[in-house]
Amino acid sequence: MAADGPITDPLLVTVLDTSRAAREQAVVLIDRIQEALGAAGNGPLPLEAQAEISKQQKLLNTNIAQLRGLHRSAHFKARETKGQTAEARHEVDVLHLQLQNLYYEQRHLEGEIAACESFEHTYQKLPLIPVEEFLALHPEHADDDENDLMVARINHERTEREALEQQRVELQKRKQKLIADNKKRRDDLANLDKDLEKFIDAAKPIQKLFEKVV
């Protein structure tokens, strides 16, 4: 599966750079071996050519060892990111459930308000916060008459529930972003796995050629 965009994670960028360096080193090694075999003909390889081939082989082995270490680190980082994403997703899911319950309560409250406007008022039954608590939050309504005070309390409750709805929306966006980021990391890692397998398969003929030379 291809990644949705360019790889920007520093560790994954380092893995790709090291992979390219190892591939280039492998090409250099093949060129040195072919040059040495062509120069030697049917005779033995000169010591200087053997030393150069050995040097290039060591450089290639160093790059491959570094690539394996970076690949292992990338796996560990992906696992850590997956755990963090799962934990954050759980937190978002819990908050989402709570906010969903509040959303249902809000819809119920709006229905009650509409019923009050159309029929005989039953505002005393609305699940509003106590008058004392409301006045502690909004002392500017202390001198309001009963009707104005009730309107203010209803408006306060609606504002609070709208704020909670906004928070739910923001948390949902955060959840979607975490899911997208985790998917991108999985895609990047899958591509790296494929590239590494291709590289290792491509290096097998080089190893056989090196064994033949030695």
Side-chain angles (χ1 to χ4, degrees):
M1 182 182 295
D4 294 335
I7 297 176
T8 57
D9 184 87
L11 178 59
L12 297 182
V13 170
T14 303
V15 173
L16 288 178
D17 290 342
T18 304
S19 176
R20 282 192 289 267
R23 184 167 57 250
E24 293 171 359
Q25 185 61 40
V27 173
V28 171
L29 177 59
I30 292 174
D31 291 342
R32 294 293 183 274
I33 293 175
Q34 291 178 342
E35 290 172 1
L37 291 175
N42 295 327
L45 293 178
L47 294 179
E48 181 179 354
Q50 293 182 22
E52 176 63 20
I53 292 174
S54 177
K55 175 184 176 182
Q56 297 300 328
Q57 177 68 29
K58 290 178 181 179
L59 290 175
L60 178 59
N61 290 339
T62 299
N63 284 333
I64 291 177
Q66 183 180 6
L67 181 61
R68 287 173 176 168
L70 290 171
H71 184 257
R72 184 166 52 253
S73 297
H75 267 294
F76 289 151
K77 185 174 182 181
R79 185 182 304 171
E80 179 184 358
T81 301
K82 184 177 180 180
Q84 293 173 349
T85 301
E87 183 178 345
R89 181 184 301 170
H90 174 70
E91 177 186 353
V92 171
D93 288 342
V94 170
L95 292 174
H96 174 71
L97 180 60
Q98 294 174 350
L99 291 174
Q100 190 67 24
N101 291 335
L102 291 175
Y103 175 69
Y104 290 142
E105 292 182 12
Q106 176 187 355
R107 293 182 59 185
H108 172 72
L109 178 60
E110 290 174 345
E112 291 292 331
I113 293 174
C116 289
E117 293 175 346
S118 303
F119 305 101
E120 182 180 355
H121 291 291
T122 56
Y123 56 83
Q124 294 88 351
K125 298 181 181 179
L126 292 177
L128 304 177
I129 63 175
V131 175
E132 294 78 9
E133 184 178 344
F134 175 80
L135 291 178
L137 294 173
H138 301 281
E140 67 272 18
H141 294 286
D143 297 328
D144 288 357
D145 59 30
E146 182 178 352
N147 183 66
D148 290 340
L149 182 59
M150 177 55 64
V151 172
R153 291 172 64 196
I154 292 175
N155 288 335
H156 166 78
E157 187 72 16
R158 180 171 183 174
T159 299
E160 290 294 314
R161 294 184 184 277
E162 288 176 347
L164 288 173
E165 171 63 10
Q166 181 63 32
Q167 182 182 0
R168 185 193 70 81
V169 172
E170 294 299 325
L171 288 172
Q172 184 66 20
K173 291 179 180 178
R174 177 186 172 192
K175 174 183 175 181
Q176 293 302 324
K177 184 178 184 302
L178 287 171
I179 293 174
D181 290 345
N182 190 50
K183 177 180 179 300
K184 186 176 185 302
R185 288 181 182 275
R186 290 200 308 269
D187 292 343
D188 290 343
L189 190 58
N191 288 335
L192 287 176
D193 285 339
K194 292 180 181 179
D195 290 342
L196 182 59
E197 291 175 1
K198 291 180 181 177
F199 177 78
I200 293 175
D201 291 340
K204 290 180 180 178
I206 300 174
Q207 183 66 31
K208 292 181 179 179
L209 182 59
F210 179 78
E211 293 174 355
K212 177 181 177 182
V213 172
V214 175

